[in-house]
Amino acid sequence: MSLNLETDLTSALKSFTKIPHASIEKNLLRHLRNISCNADYISILRLMYGYYHPLENKIEAVLGREESSRKAAWILKDLDILGNRFHNTPLCIELPVITDEAEALGALYVLEGSTLGGVHIAQMIAKKIPGNPGLPLAFFEGYGADTLDRWKRFCSVLNEKNFSPREKEKALTTAGQTFVLFEKWIRENEPGTV
């Protein structure tokens, strides 16, 4: 896909990542639909942690803690409530290259964007595991009622960046890699095996 650097950065990111985004969404939803008990849900959370945690560390190394996303902490909170002490969960080592702000924000675009569908996923999981009204869903619920506002603020920050064409290209490439490598991670670590 060719890079359209004339549009605002978030529009370019959305367009550039459309195909890998749709692919991973389809793959992940297949696994989410198969949840029928806490053990299935724990497997999904561990899978997500295995990718999010090391990726967030790479983003934080460039942007600093204040600007980076720490959704892996939400996953650990959910796992702790489910009684799953986090031991021996594999962590992804094949991650996008993140050496500068443009690359870090390209990856963060994917992580922040994932919160948009999280509320619907949380509702789906709650229906899949009936009889557990206290089911922890911090990761999928994300920012809750503030999710859309936070996403809009994040997009505004991205669009205000005065990136060069080369930096924009790096942001797009990293966002694409973030989706592709996440889907590869899911395929190689099918829920129930991690």
Side-chain angles (χ1 to χ4, degrees):
M1 174 178 246
S2 64
L3 304 175
N4 181 358
L5 302 176
E6 299 303 315
T7 61
D8 64 63
L9 184 54
T10 54
S11 296
L13 282 161
K14 182 177 181 180
S15 176
F16 185 74
T17 61
K18 184 176 183 179
I19 293 171
H21 182 189
S23 180
I24 192 170
E25 189 174 78
K26 180 180 177 183
N27 191 345
L28 192 54
L29 281 174
R30 177 174 56 88
H31 293 300
L32 291 168
R33 286 187 184 112
N34 288 330
I35 290 175
S36 62
C37 62
N38 281 358
D40 295 339
Y41 180 42
I42 287 169
S43 291
I44 292 285
L45 289 173
R46 289 168 57 104
L47 179 73
M48 303 301 276
Y49 184 86
Y51 191 75
Y52 270 67
H53 177 66
L55 181 59
E56 287 178 344
N57 285 343
K58 287 188 81 168
I59 293 169
E60 183 180 318
V62 172
L63 297 180
R65 188 162 188 83
E66 183 92 2
E67 299 300 319
S68 58
S69 166
R70 298 310 296 178
K71 293 167 184 52
W74 296 344
I75 299 171
L76 289 180
K77 179 180 174 184
D78 288 341
L79 287 169
D80 189 50
I81 292 169
L82 288 164
N84 185 274
R85 300 288 180 220
F86 197 73
H87 299 294
N88 301 320
T89 296
L91 299 178
C92 185
I93 57 172
E94 191 175 355
L95 298 164
V97 173
I98 299 175
T99 59
D100 61 26
E101 182 184 31
E103 291 169 339
L105 288 173
L108 194 54
Y109 167 85
V110 176
L111 298 188
E112 287 298 313
S114 70
T115 63
L116 295 175
V119 173
H120 301 293
I121 292 171
Q123 292 169 353
M124 181 176 76
I125 292 170
K127 289 177 184 173
K128 292 292 214 170
I129 309 176
N132 189 349
L135 188 67
L137 295 162
F139 173 67
F140 287 108
E141 288 176 341
Y143 305 116
D146 293 332
T147 298
L148 187 56
D149 286 340
R150 287 190 64 128
W151 172 248
K152 288 178 181 177
R153 285 196 304 272
F154 176 73
C155 289
S156 292
V157 168
L158 277 184
N159 291 331
E160 290 167 7
K161 293 290 179 185
N162 191 20
F163 284 144
S164 68
R166 174 68 183 127
E167 289 170 321
K168 287 182 180 179
E169 184 178 333
K170 289 170 80 173
L172 269 61
T173 300
T174 303
Q177 287 178 340
T178 301
F179 276 121
V180 169
L181 293 174
F182 190 20
E183 183 166 18
K184 184 178 183 210
W185 171 252
I186 291 170
R187 280 196 320 268
E188 292 174 352
N189 298 275
E190 292 288 320
T193 64
V194 293

